[in-house]
């Protein structure tokens, strides 16, 4: 007769794991990475490689020599993902030493100071990105045009679609928006009359990012609640602004400009810093969309996605407190 083993729940185990999900997100980022290599060449390769390597080294060093941890976490994919996302939020001509500082802040301040993976309050890659934006504004807002394979060495820079939109709002002149590329160019990142491919290296091709979204939804790495609520909120609010005043860009152009797609799909959906249940994720996503529209149109910066996500990261514990999933077996009182 076999032994009867009594153990604590849960008794049913799935194949889900931190490593599986982290590397799944990394795979989802590959289309955008390939496009960035095609559009920005050596600059994209240097920025991404430096960012990933620095994040991995800093996480290993901090865990081993500062936190004195016996367990290394560099193989779970989280440091690689943080480095890749940080690189995606940087211009392709950013000096290596600035990238290393950003990686140190992302890992050391944004992640490990809270206790490591699963304990951080804010998205580490965005912590690093916003620190660099505040500390090195000139270097962080120098955007090489797409199509320059040696953009790290001799890049020609200029205005981005978001800066064109910002100028149209400030001047009140809707004709300024004629400088914007067509919707197809914004979607695929190919430059035309304006710098459709100008911006951070991971945000210029909306189609590649949408392919990543489809992959993650298919693999059930994320749910639809956060990305859809962010994008839908921005679309509706931008559409209302455009109808009220043509100086505001049309919602399609807004969706495919700047880091909106990258943020909504890959940054706002971070497991640790976003709400646990679907209803909470919708509230969270609507908040991000609202703040993004406000900052983009009336704030000091043309882009507001990073700040919007970090602000809503701070509200995640509050959302989790007041919006909870129904407990298993709970009977609703009538």
């Amino acid at each position: 007769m076999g032994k009867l083993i009594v153990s604590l729940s849960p008794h049913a185990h799935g194949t889900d794991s931190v490593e599986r999900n982290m590397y799944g997100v990394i795979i989802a980022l590959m289309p955008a990475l390939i496009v960035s290599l095609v559009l920005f060449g050596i600059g994209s390769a240097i920025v991404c490689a430096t960012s990933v390597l620095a994040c991995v080294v800093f996480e290993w060093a901090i865990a081993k020599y500062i936190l004195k941890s016996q367990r290394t976490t560099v193989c779970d994919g989280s440091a690689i993902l943080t480095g890749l996302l940080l690189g995606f939020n940087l211009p392709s001509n950013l000096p290596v030493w600035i990238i290393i500082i950003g990686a140190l802040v992302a890992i050391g301040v944004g992640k490990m100071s809270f206790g490591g993976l699963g304990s951080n309050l804010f998205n580490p890659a965005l912590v690093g990105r916003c620190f660099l934006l505040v500390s090195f504004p000139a270097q962080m807002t120098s955007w090489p045009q797409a199509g320059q394979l040696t953009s790290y060495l001799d890049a020609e820079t200029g205005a981005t679609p978001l800066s064109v939109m910002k100028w149209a709002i400030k001047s009140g002149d809707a004709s300024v928006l004629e400088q914007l590329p067509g919707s197809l160019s914004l979607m695929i990142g190919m430059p035309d009359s304006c710098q459709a491919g100008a911006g951070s290296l991971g945000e210029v091709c909306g189609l590649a990012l949408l392919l990543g979204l489809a992959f993650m939804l298919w693999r059930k790495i994320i749910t639809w609640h956060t990305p859809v609520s962010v994008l839908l909120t921005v679309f509706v609010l931008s559409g209302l602004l455009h109808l009220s005043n043509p100086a505001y860009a049309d919602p399609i152009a807004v969706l495919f400009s700047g880091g909106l797609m990258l943020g909504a799909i890959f940054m706002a959906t971070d497991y640790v810093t976003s709400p646990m249940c679907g209803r909470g994720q919708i509230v969270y996503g609507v908040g991000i969309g609202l703040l993004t529209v406000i900052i983009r149109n009336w704030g000091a910066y043309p882009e507001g996605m990073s700040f919007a996500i970090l602000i809503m990261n701070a509200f995640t514990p509050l959302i989790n407190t007041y919006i909870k999933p129904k407990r298993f077996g709970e009977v609703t009182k009538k």
Side-chain angles (χ1 to χ4, degrees):
M1 181 181 293
K3 290 184 178 181
L4 176 62
I5 299 175
V6 179
S7 62
L8 297 175
S9 62
H11 303 291
H13 298 275
T15 58
D16 219 7
S17 67
V18 172
E19 291 82 2
R20 177 183 180 275
N21 289 333
M22 292 298 168
Y23 286 109
V25 177
I26 292 171
I27 292 172
L29 285 167
M30 288 301 103
L33 178 61
I34 293 171
V35 171
S36 73
L37 292 172
V38 171
L39 294 180
F40 297 111
I42 189 174
S44 177
I46 292 174
V47 170
C48 286
T50 302
S51 180
V52 170
L53 180 61
C55 284
V56 171
V57 170
F58 284 135
E59 178 159 324
W60 171 81
I62 292 171
K64 184 175 180 63
Y65 296 108
I66 298 179
L67 300 181
K68 305 295 184 179
S69 175
Q70 300 298 318
R71 185 176 67 90
T72 179
T73 58
V74 296
C75 295
D76 63 12
S78 61
I80 298 173
L81 180 58
T82 297
L84 196 55
L85 288 174
L86 175 62
F88 272 30
N89 279 276
L90 305 176
S92 61
N93 62 343
L94 196 66
V96 168
W97 63 274
I98 296 181
I99 302 171
I100 294 174
I101 292 174
L104 177 59
V105 173
I107 296 296
V109 177
K111 183 179 181 182
M112 302 304 286
S113 65
F114 289 93
L117 181 65
S119 303
N120 50 290
L121 178 61
F122 301 100
N123 185 291
L126 288 181
V127 171
R129 193 256 181 187
C130 289
F131 175 85
L132 293 182
L133 182 62
V134 173
S135 303
F136 307 99
Q139 294 91 334
M140 284 290 291
T141 54
S142 174
W143 309 110
Q145 296 183 33
Q148 302 177 93
L149 297 183
T150 57
S151 61
Y152 194 80
L153 304 173
D154 53 0
E156 179 183 348
T157 60
T160 64
L162 281 181
S163 63
V164 173
M165 295 178 189
K166 195 75 170 181
W167 177 248
I169 296 170
K170 286 185 176 181
S171 64
D173 184 4
S175 64
V176 174
L177 295 176
E178 295 175 2
Q179 301 176 38
L180 287 175
S183 298
L184 181 61
S185 295
L186 284 172
M187 185 181 299
I188 63 176
M190 291 293 113
D192 56 5
S193 59
C194 181
Q195 292 178 232
S200 298
L201 59 88
E203 66 185 26
V204 296
C205 182
L207 183 59
L209 297 171
L210 288 174
L211 287 174
L213 172 62
F215 174 80
M216 290 193 294
L217 290 175
W218 173 63
R219 287 282 299 271
K220 296 182 179 179
I221 297 173
I222 64 171
T223 61
W224 61 268
H225 303 83
T226 297
V228 170
S229 58
V230 172
L231 298 176
L232 186 60
T233 300
V234 173
F235 182 86
V236 171
L237 294 178
S238 299
L240 293 174
L241 289 172
H242 180 66
L243 290 175
S244 65
N245 185 349
Y248 293 96
D250 69 86
I252 298 297
V254 172
L255 284 181
F256 288 100
S257 297
L260 184 62
M261 285 285 176
L262 178 63
I265 296 170
F266 291 99
M267 316 292 280
T269 54
D270 176 40
Y271 293 134
V272 182
T273 59
S274 60
M276 295 182 293
C277 68
R279 287 183 300 150
Q281 290 169 8
I282 291 175
V283 173
Y284 170 77
V286 170
I288 292 173
L290 176 61
L291 289 170
T292 300
V293 172
I294 291 173
I295 296 172
R296 278 189 173 189
N297 290 301
W298 300 290
Y301 292 97
E303 179 62 276
M305 193 65 188
S306 298
F307 296 107
I309 294 175
L310 289 177
I311 291 170
M312 291 307 298
N313 285 166
F315 281 95
T316 293
L318 188 64
I319 295 173
N320 284 333
T321 298
Y322 288 98
I323 304 178
K324 299 178 180 179
K326 182 180 178 181
R327 295 176 182 174
F328 181 75
E330 180 181 358
V331 178
T332 305
K333 295 181 179 180
K334 295 183 180 179

